[in-house]
Amino acid sequence: MSAGKKGDCFKNAGSNVYKKIMQEWRILENNLPESIFVRVYEGRIDLLRAVIIGAQGTPYHDGLFFFDFAFPSDYPNNPPLVHYHSHGLELNPNLYDNGYVCLSLLNTWSAEETEMWNPTGSTVLQALVSLQALVLNEKPYYNEPGYEEPSSGDWDLDSAEYNGEVFGLSCKTMMFLIDNPPKNFEAFVKDHFCERANVILAACRAYIEGRARVGYYDGSPSSPCTVDVSREFKGTMEALYPNLEVAFNRNAASKSA
């Protein structure tokens, strides 16, 4: 099949690919969780951009994580290609610093057949929810192949340390997004960080001072210091904090200008 004919399937309203993508749009419109937002393009229906807001109770809380989807010309026989906006940072075993997304539902990781892409049943919505729930989760350390979560022990300490590293990388991602918001999401990024800046900064202080475990800041300003904080994490966050504060202030100033 020529390249031209491959492209025709995205413009021909009668093609199976076109109809399937329109069905995907309807599913997303009616079923997206409140913490996932999607932008589609009428002129390029083969492309889609999504952002996931990091969930509370995870080291990704309040962060923004962008993914680009590209539908293949034989969709849905094969899953969409997905690229993560990593900004050169690797904050999850499933999200590489080159943007590669490792997920069985996308056929980018080997798994049982029931976990792989199913042309008759799998959807973009399922992929997005999987990214939010299975990848950007509470203990991403155990996403690493061969790392199984124990009931207790030293590996829990490793997981906690990894969460600290992840939160620091998430903060760096926030700063990058403020200065370089993805196209068509400029206002979204600005508004999100204007709304959540104070909470994020308060969480940073709580984590530095050991008043909350990373990911579990509950907004309380007077929690006792009961969490052991590594010297490395404390040093990293104390260096990041003023830069993050400046970025948030700059973002707020640009919104009110």
Side-chain angles (χ1 to χ4, degrees):
M1 181 181 289
S2 68
K5 289 184 178 179
K6 285 184 178 180
D8 289 344
C9 66
F10 299 116
K11 299 177 181 178
N12 179 3
S15 74
N16 290 333
V17 175
Y18 188 100
K19 292 177 181 178
K20 179 60 178 177
I21 293 176
M22 292 301 103
Q23 182 185 47
E24 293 279 11
W25 286 13
R26 290 191 293 272
I27 292 172
L28 292 170
E29 183 178 12
N30 295 321
N31 298 282
L32 270 178
E34 293 183 356
S35 53
I36 301 178
F37 297 82
V38 169
R39 175 67 183 263
V40 298
Y41 307 95
E42 292 185 357
R44 287 294 305 273
I45 71 165
D46 57 316
L47 303 178
L48 176 154
R49 176 164 287 173
V51 58
I52 298 174
I53 301 175
Q56 301 302 309
T58 76
Y60 304 100
H61 71 82
D62 296 302
L64 297 179
F65 306 93
F66 284 87
F67 298 86
D68 288 336
F69 285 66
F71 294 99
S73 59
D74 62 350
Y75 190 76
N77 292 334
N78 281 297
L81 300 175
V82 181
H83 175 83
Y84 167 60
H85 291 224
S86 71
H87 315 296
L89 304 174
E90 188 166 312
L91 42 61
N92 188 285
N94 297 78
L95 304 176
Y96 296 8
D97 57 7
N98 64 0
Y100 185 79
V101 177
C102 191
L103 188 68
S104 56
L105 183 59
L106 299 175
N107 292 353
T108 52
W109 178 255
S110 298
E112 297 292 331
E113 185 176 352
T114 54
E115 299 176 12
M116 306 290 281
W117 181 264
N118 179 352
T120 62
S122 298
T123 65
V124 170
L125 177 64
Q126 288 178 341
L128 287 169
V129 171
S130 294
L131 286 168
Q132 183 180 53
L134 302 180
V135 176
L136 301 171
N137 62 29
E138 178 185 10
K139 296 181 179 180
Y141 179 81
Y142 298 110
N143 285 20
E144 189 70 43
Y147 289 11
E148 296 184 6
E149 183 176 356
S151 57
S152 63
D154 291 341
W155 278 32
D156 276 340
L157 295 177
D158 290 339
S159 176
E161 288 183 7
Y162 184 74
N163 277 8
E165 295 175 15
V166 165
F167 182 73
L169 293 174
S170 180
C171 288
K172 289 183 178 180
T173 301
M174 295 177 195
M175 290 187 286
F176 189 92
L177 287 171
I178 287 172
D179 290 333
N180 303 275
K183 186 176 180 180
N184 303 126
F185 280 88
E186 294 88 349
F188 181 91
V189 170
K190 190 181 299 293
D191 290 346
H192 173 78
F193 287 121
C194 278
E195 179 182 344
R196 302 302 296 172
N198 289 338
V199 173
I200 295 167
L201 291 173
C204 288
R205 295 307 312 172
Y207 300 152
I208 291 170
E209 296 166 6
R211 291 186 286 107
R213 191 176 300 279
V214 172
Y216 297 98
Y217 175 66
D218 62 3
S220 174
S222 57
S223 299
C225 300
T226 59
V227 179
D228 290 333
V229 181
S230 71
R231 181 180 301 177
E232 182 179 1
F233 174 74
K234 186 174 183 179
T236 297
M237 292 309 302
E238 286 182 337
L240 270 175
Y241 185 92
N243 295 325
L244 187 61
E245 187 174 30
V246 167
F248 285 154
N249 288 338
R250 186 171 64 250
N251 181 62
S254 67
K255 179 176 173 62
S256 59

